[in-house]
Amino acid sequence: MMETGAQPMTKHQFDELFRNVSNWGAWGDQDDRGTLNYITPKTILCAMALVKTGQAVSMAVPISKLAGPDNPRPPAHYMSILFEVDRNFGEPGICLDYFASEIHGDCHTHIDALCHVA
């Protein structure tokens, strides 16, 4: 969100900002890890030292299938196939799910990147 009275960036200003913050090529032309190169055995050990209880905490957001102002195109979910298995042999039955969703939205979580900006 822009501050009140702030002017939008020109294409030239955006391109200059992008060049200043980009670290493409910082680890060589053959690198495919990018900023994951910052995660080293040393940084992992430092992060592990911060752990006090070992309790995992979910950051998940429940998937809402209800349309609303913040969810104009909710995900579609239905059971696509139900395999009926002969219960005489003690085998479990299985089902397949169909799930379709936009990746961006107020009701979804994801990891985004500046490269998604057109």
Side-chain angles (χ1 to χ4, degrees):
M1 179 177 273
M2 269 196 270
E3 294 178 27
T4 305
Q7 297 297 313
M9 283 187 173
T10 65
K11 180 183 180 326
H12 174 74
Q13 290 170 322
F14 177 84
D15 289 345
E16 184 177 336
L17 174 63
F18 188 84
R19 274 191 304 277
N20 289 335
V21 299
S22 172
N23 46 358
W24 283 354
W27 293 276
D29 292 337
Q30 299 302 313
D31 179 65
D32 60 357
R33 288 179 43 96
T35 54
L36 288 175
N37 285 295
Y38 287 127
I39 302 174
T40 64
K42 182 180 179 180
T43 60
I44 292 169
L45 287 172
C46 288
M48 288 172 49
L50 299 173
V51 175
K52 302 294 184 218
T53 66
Q55 179 183 2
V57 179
S58 174
M59 300 294 287
V61 173
I63 297 171
S64 174
K65 296 191 299 181
L66 299 174
D70 61 343
N71 196 21
R73 289 173 298 284
H77 173 240
Y78 58 86
M79 305 304 287
S80 58
I81 298 174
L82 171 62
F83 290 99
E84 297 291 340
V85 178
D86 186 349
R87 296 289 176 194
N88 293 330
F89 295 106
E91 294 182 25
I94 61 171
C95 301
L96 297 180
D97 290 280
Y98 172 86
F99 188 82
S101 176
E102 293 181 343
I103 325 182
H104 297 265
D106 293 337
C107 287
H108 316 305
T109 61
H110 68 288
I111 298 173
D112 209 345
L114 190 55
C115 62
H116 289 162
V117 177

